[in-house]
Amino acid sequence: MISIPLFNKQLEELKTIMDQWLYLLKHLSTMDRLPLFLDNRIFGLIFEIREMNYS
């Protein structure tokens, strides 16, 4: 079981792809653009979907 609100790692602490996913899920609603460390095809698609939902 994963509790997103309890995930408190900062950008410099993200070491695994799971860390990146959890960070993205927790902060997606407050991001205005995709951070460079998440710049790959999957994360980009998720961010585009979020933008469509908030427009």
Side-chain angles (χ1 to χ4, degrees), residues 2-55:
I2 297 173
S3 180
I4 300 292
L6 297 178
F7 182 80
N8 293 319
K9 288 188 178 183
Q10 300 301 315
L11 287 174
E12 59 277 357
E13 298 175 297
L14 304 178
K15 303 292 184 213
T16 67
I17 192 79
M18 179 63 84
D19 289 345
Q20 293 176 353
W21 274 104
L22 293 173
Y23 185 89
L24 178 66
L25 293 172
K26 183 172 183 176
H27 298 284
L28 189 59
S29 65
T30 61
M31 292 178 175
D32 57 347
R33 61 186 164 137
L34 191 62
L36 292 177
F37 73 92
L38 294 176
D39 191 19
N40 71 37
R41 190 175 172 100
I42 298 297
F43 291 120
L45 291 172
I46 291 170
F47 197 78
E48 287 176 21
I49 291 168
R50 186 212 58 109
E51 285 181 332
M52 286 189 278
N53 287 328
Y54 284 103
S55 337

